[in-house]
Amino acid sequence: MMFPLPPNATIGLVGGGQLGRMSALAAARLGYRCHILTREQNSPAGQVSAAVTISDYLDPVALRAFAAAVDVISFEFENVSAEGLDLLASLKPVRPAPGILRISQDRVAEKSFVNGVGVPTAPWRAVGTLDELRAAAAELGLPAVLKTTREGYDGKGQRTLHQPDELAAAFADLSPKPLILEGFVDFAQEISVVIARGADGSLSAFDAVENRHRNHILDLTLAPARVPDSVVEQSQAIARTVATALDLVGLLAVEMFVDADGQVLVNEIAPRPHNSGHWTIDACPASQFELHIRAIADLPLPAATRHSDAVMKNLVGPDEIALWPAILATPGLIPHLYGKSDARPGRKMGHVTRLFPKGSLPGEFGVEAALGPAAPRRTGEHFSPSP
Ligand code: AMP
């Protein structure tokens, strides 16, 4: 296959979730077909794509057939096996490269890489035994956060440790998986930057946005982040440094903490579209999903500018999706539904976006009012001065 990918070419996407769905919709607008590889029948991405292969991410026969049917391969799902991607990469171009996924899948590899290119993170230690955990806690101090190095998301596989007597139980809970202990960051804000990088090294970064979590799941994104210029500059420089050092071709999300001194620390990187970039569908001429597709197809990368400020609210689980009729009836709320039939607690079912003229993102209470029926329930968590 020649790059740039010509119209009507087929993009293979590994993973069938909402990130794949929104990537496939963006690909369709650019004249491409998508072929989804997923374990799931009737997946969100499969519903809007030209073809679907339902298979395990490791079955070599299915992987070979999938590779034969597509022109370029990308992924939307991070817990896909890097070995499976290696097999795919031996058959067709995989963008971003499997080695990048390998780094982002392992918190120790990720932090080593990020620190290695001069970008700060929370202090951390790899932990294999309870004695190592005790030594790491003594060095880093408490509170600290113990996490599994792999397959943790939305707060799964992590424990915040406050007292030395909590170490043994937390270790017993999370081991024998490899673990990492991170110093606790008393952050003022959580922000993220989504950046695209083309094969020619060109970069296109969206504005830094502010993220609010509830029950460890992203709840709200405010675009742009209300942070000092120095924080914007640090976060953009970090995203450029990491994307370039990874030799990324595709999209990268960088999640960061802003500490009390205004220093920016990387928490996680994800080489794929990101929940904190959903606002770009409605507030930008080219969304994160379009930039993802353009980058992997070798199309020119437009600047990641926004024409509006925005608030994005996730609709999580049965309680929030029950608000759907009220959301549809509210002028100004832009609805997005992912086509999932089963609204389990904690499951991301859809999101809504509200736009504001550029430069006029309201303060806390204005944001709440503007979301109407989708406004976060007031637990005190969102609207406290510091999370
Ligand atoms: P993660 O799975 O690493 O993205 O962590 C999920 C959430 O836990 C983050 O978005 C933070 O709100 C919180 N968290 C994770 N690591 C730390 C840390 N080292 N210090 C303080 N809070 C953290």
Side-chain angles (χ1 to χ4, degrees):
M1 172 55 55
M2 296 287 289
F3 287 113
L5 214 56
N8 299 315
T10 300
I11 296 172
L13 277 179
V14 180
Q18 64 268 18
L19 301 173
R21 180 186 181 92
M22 292 181 271
S23 294
L25 293 170
R29 237 175 45 164
L30 294 170
Y32 297 127
R33 295 150 206 234
C34 280
H35 184 141
I36 306 297
L37 176 71
T38 173
R39 284 190 291 232
E40 201 190 335
Q41 301 280 348
N42 194 27
S43 64
Q47 289 167 21
V48 302
S49 294
V52 184
T53 297
I54 311 254
S55 163
D56 195 68
Y57 297 118
L58 271 173
D59 173 7
V61 175
L63 293 180
R64 284 179 188 281
F66 170 72
V70 305
D71 298 305
V72 63
I73 296 169
S74 192
F75 47 85
E76 63 99 66
F77 175 67
E78 260 178 294
N79 292 333
V80 45
S81 96
E83 293 69 31
L85 283 183
D86 282 341
L87 172 57
L88 293 175
S90 71
L91 302 165
K92 287 286 160 67
V94 172
R95 296 177 155 185
I100 298 178
L101 188 73
R102 230 179 227 115
I103 291 170
S104 73
Q105 279 177 332
D106 181 306
R107 293 184 193 275
V108 167
E110 178 180 63
K111 289 201 165 57
S112 303
F113 183 87
V114 167
N115 293 159
V117 297
V119 171
T121 60
W124 59 274
R125 298 283 184 279
V127 165
T129 64
L130 182 55
D131 281 342
E132 283 172 11
L133 174 58
R134 292 209 165 97
E139 282 180 79
L140 302 182
L142 295 180
V145 187
L146 185 65
K147 302 179 181 179
T148 55
T149 58
R150 304 176 70 85
E151 294 185 3
Y153 62 96
D154 290 348
K156 294 188 176 72
Q158 58 175 275
R159 301 278 183 285
T160 303
L161 306 174
H162 298 276
Q163 304 293 337
D165 63 5
E166 294 168 357
L167 269 53
F171 183 79
D173 266 4
L174 297 178
S175 63
K177 294 187 174 150
L179 304 176
I180 181 171
L181 188 73
E182 298 178 15
F184 186 84
V185 180
D186 190 13
F187 55 80
Q189 271 149 330
E190 291 189 84
I191 63 170
S192 55
V193 171
V194 173
I195 188 166
R197 185 170 179 274
D200 63 354
S202 58
L203 292 165
S204 215
F206 291 99
D207 295 303
V209 299
E210 187 176 335
N211 298 316
R212 308 284 179 86
H213 296 82
R214 194 152 61 94
N215 302 328
H216 297 283
I217 300 171
L218 182 67
D219 184 34
L220 278 182
T221 294
L222 296 110
R226 292 163 304 178
V227 291
D229 289 348
S230 66
V231 168
V232 171
E233 282 153 24
Q234 284 179 70
S235 63
Q236 296 278 321
I238 286 171
R240 288 194 301 267
T241 299
V242 174
T244 303
L246 286 170
D247 200 16
L248 175 82
V249 180
L251 203 68
L252 180 78
V254 186
E255 294 181 46
M256 294 166 268
F257 299 126
V258 184
D259 73 11
D261 306 323
Q263 201 203 355
V264 179
L265 307 171
V266 168
N267 176 31
E268 284 192 311
I269 62 173
R272 54 165 174 78
H274 194 259
N275 195 168
S276 70
H278 291 359
W279 65 279
T280 62
I281 299 174
D282 300 307
C284 301
S287 72
Q288 66 163 345
F289 301 101
E290 179 168 340
L291 261 57
H292 175 209
I293 298 300
R294 280 178 176 257
I296 65 173
D298 263 5
L299 302 186
L301 283 185
T305 49
R306 68 178 203 283
H307 52 67
S308 302
D309 290 355
V311 175
M312 189 284 314
K313 167 81 177 79
N314 267 340
L315 301 174
V316 178
D319 298 354
E320 293 188 340
I321 207 59
L323 304 168
W324 187 248
I327 289 165
L328 290 176
T330 305
L333 292 186
I334 306 175
H336 298 258
L337 202 57
Y338 305 149
K340 300 181 184 178
S341 43
D342 186 13
R344 292 189 297 272
R347 198 164 192 218
K348 292 171 180 169
M349 303 301 295
H351 71 268
V352 295
T353 311
R354 175 101 202 197
L355 299 182
F356 303 89
K358 196 171 175 179
S360 63
L361 186 69
E364 301 288 3
F365 294 105
V367 163
E368 195 181 354
L371 286 171
R377 275 155 296 161
R378 269 163 161 286
T379 56
E381 226 171 299
H382 292 104
F383 297 106
S384 56
S386 78

